[in-house]
Amino acid sequence: MAESLLIDQSLSKAEKYKALLPQIEALTTGETDLIANISNLVAALRQSMGFFWVGVYFNKEGQLVLGPFQGPIACTRIPYHKGVCGACYTQQKTMLVPDVEAFPGHIACSSDSKSEIVLPAIVNGEVKLVLDVDSDELNDFDEVDQQYLEQLMKLVESWY
């Protein structure tokens, strides 16, 4: 696949995801470098969905360590027990947060972040990374985001 995305911005959110997911799969098929695939994944999500911030944190060195991302600068290291990313890691489940200020222990990497969805990539029972997607609007994520991003995480898990 050429390194471009074809996403009609007039589509509904679900239709955008339906168009995007096969393009990400095609873009990453045959590429064995995890960082290259993750880099294209976060760029594709930000470009096609218009998210404020998209990135990953790797389970590394006893904490979550910043990996490829798109958007404003971010926290570099997050303890497993802190914030939405830490909750995703420790609970090994998607965290859908409509208002980050109301989330206990939220880490404010950017004061512009208002809502967030974080999803784990779990391989052999271990969280390898978390995908962190932030919005600068309250309550910007819903079950549609969760459904399609969880499908996308199955692809990420296959890269390990």
Side-chain angles (χ1 to χ4, degrees), residues 112-124:
D112 292 331
S113 179
K114 303 296 183 211
S115 59
E116 188 171 8
I117 185 169
V118 183
L119 306 97
I122 303 171
V123 179
N124 297 324

Side-chain angles (χ1 to χ4, degrees), residues 40-119:
N40 274 328
L41 167 80
V42 298
L45 282 171
R46 185 154 193 251
Q47 176 185 333
S48 60
M49 302 304 289
F51 296 133
F52 173 70
W53 194 92
V54 182
V56 301
Y57 284 91
F58 291 102
N59 175 5
K60 188 174 175 180
E61 303 168 5
Q63 58 198 317
L64 297 172
V65 180
L66 182 64
F69 71 94
Q70 296 274 315
I73 61 171
C75 299
T76 304
R77 295 174 184 270
I78 299 175
Y80 291 143
H81 62 283
K82 294 282 187 180
V84 180
C85 290
C88 175
Y89 172 84
T90 58
Q91 296 178 36
Q92 295 193 354
K93 69 176 189 176
T94 298
M95 305 300 294
L96 182 62
V97 181
D99 179 355
V100 296
E101 294 298 325
F103 189 87
H106 169 67
I107 300 170
C109 293
S110 170
S111 60
D112 292 331
S113 179
K114 303 296 183 211
S115 59
E116 188 171 8
I117 185 169
V118 183
L119 306 97

